[in-house]
Amino acid sequence: MKANPVFSLYIPTKLIFGCGEINKLSSEKLPGKKALVVISAGTSMRKYGYLQKVLAQLRLNHVETVVYDKILPNPIKEHVMEAAAICREERCDFVVGLGGGSSIDSAKSIAVMACNDGDYWDYVSGGTGKGRPISKALPIIAIPTTAGTGTEMDPWTVITHETAQEKIGFGCPLTYPTLSIVDPELMVSIPPELTAFQGFDAFFHAAEGFIANCATPISDLYALEAIRLLYKYLPVAIADGQNLKARAKVAWASTLAGMVESTSSCTSEHSLEHAMSAYYPQLPHGAGLIALSEAYFETFRHDCTKRYMKMAEVMTEKKSNRASDFIDALVTMQKECKVKDLKLSEYGIRPNDFPRILQNARDTMGGLFTLDPRPITDDEILNILEKSYR
C-alpha cells in the first residue's frame, strides 16, 4: 500500500450477526413480499431444519416463498438461468440465498438475470463473457450456514460456465446483499473437513487482500483481525463443531474477510484455483487454495517482507524478524487443521493440465494478476503448480 493512500469504503449491506439472530428475519423490514429461496441440491438445509426455520420466519413476516434447490458446490450458469426464469414466472420480488457461498453467489446471479435479458455470460467480464453493464437487479438477502466465502458482505459471485469450462467472479454495486444475517448456530452441523476448507477460503481472502497492491488502511484492519481469529479458532471449530464460541469467532472472521473483498481484493491465487476447479468441479475451492498456498506465498516472500511479518505476528503473537515466519505459521495452521498434505491428484488433476490451468487463469480471471504485489511470470506460475502437486 502506498503512503498517503486514497481509498473509499462502500458496503451498503445491513449486517445482523450473532447466535439466534436468524429469528430477526420475522421482524426485519424486507425488500419485497415474495421470495425465491435458493438452496443447494444437498440434503443439509432440510435435514438440519434450516430451510424450515427460514420459511417459517418469512411467513411470520407475511412473505410468500418459492424454493429453488438445485445449486451445486461449484454453481453453474444453467441453474442461474433456470432459477431466474422461475423467479420471473412466479413474480418473486427478492431473492434469499440460504446455505454456503455457492447458494448465496447463485442468489446474486439469479437476482441479476431475473431483471436482465439474454444470457448470464453476456454480463460477465473475462473469458468468453461479453461484459455488458447491468442497470437493475432484485434485492438479495444472504443467510450463510458456512463460514468461508464472506459473500454476505461483498458484491462478488462466482459461477462456472460448464461448457466453456470458465469459472469467473462477477459483481457490481447491485449485487451487494440488502440484508445479511450471520447466525453461528446454523453452522454447527458442518463436518470437520469442510469447516477447514471453508475457513481457509476466508483466511486467503484476508491474506491475499493484505498483500494485494490495492490494499487500504480499512481493508488492513479487517484482514489482520480475520487472520488472527482464524489462526486461533479455526482448529478449535474443526476439533469440536459444537463449540459455539469457536464457530462464532470463525464466522466473524469470514464476514470480516468478505469486507476485505469489498475494500481490497483477492490476488492471482484465486485465479489459479478457479481455473483448476473449472476443469475439475469436484475440487472444493478451499482445498485447491490450501494446496497452492505454501508455494504461492513463497513466490512473493521477498516482495512484501513487512506485510508477511505483520501477518506472522498477529498469528503467533510473537515478534517476527523474517518474512518466512508467515510461511511457517501457515504450515503450522494447516497441520493443526489436518489439511497439510492434500493431494490434487485425488481430484483428477494431472501435471499435463498445468499449461491449460495457467492459460485459463490468465484468460478468465486475469484482472487479479494485476493486483499481485508484483507481476508474476508464467514460469513462476508453473513452478507453483508443480510444487503444489501431490
Side-chain angles (χ1 to χ4, degrees), residues 10-13 75 100-109 112 120 123-125 140 142 149-159 168-177 201 205 214 257-266 270 274 365 367-368 371:
Y10 179 71
I11 306 178
T13 301
S102 56
S103 295
I104 298 172
D105 281 12
S106 297
K108 293 177 180 181
S109 300
V112 169
Y120 180 66
Y123 303 94
V124 168
S125 297
I140 302 144
T149 67
T151 189
E152 66 271 12
M153 290 301 286
D154 71 40
W156 309 114
T157 164
V158 179
I159 302 295
I168 300 180
F170 164 80
C172 68
L174 293 169
T175 49
Y176 276 102
D201 186 21
H205 289 160
C214 60
M259 293 160 77
V260 175
E261 292 288 273
S262 291
T263 51
S264 179
S265 176
C266 285
H270 265 70
H274 283 186
M365 296 283 289
L368 296 188
L371 301 173

Side-chain angles (χ1 to χ4, degrees), residues 147-194:
T149 67
T151 189
E152 66 271 12
M153 290 301 286
D154 71 40
W156 309 114
T157 164
V158 179
I159 302 295
T160 297
H161 188 313
E162 56 275 31
T163 53
Q165 293 182 302
E166 296 174 340
K167 181 179 176 180
I168 300 180
F170 164 80
C172 68
L174 293 169
T175 49
Y176 276 102
T178 300
L179 170 68
S180 290
I181 301 178
V182 181
D183 186 338
E185 289 183 354
L186 304 184
M187 302 175 184
V188 296
S189 59
I190 308 167
E193 186 179 60
L194 289 181

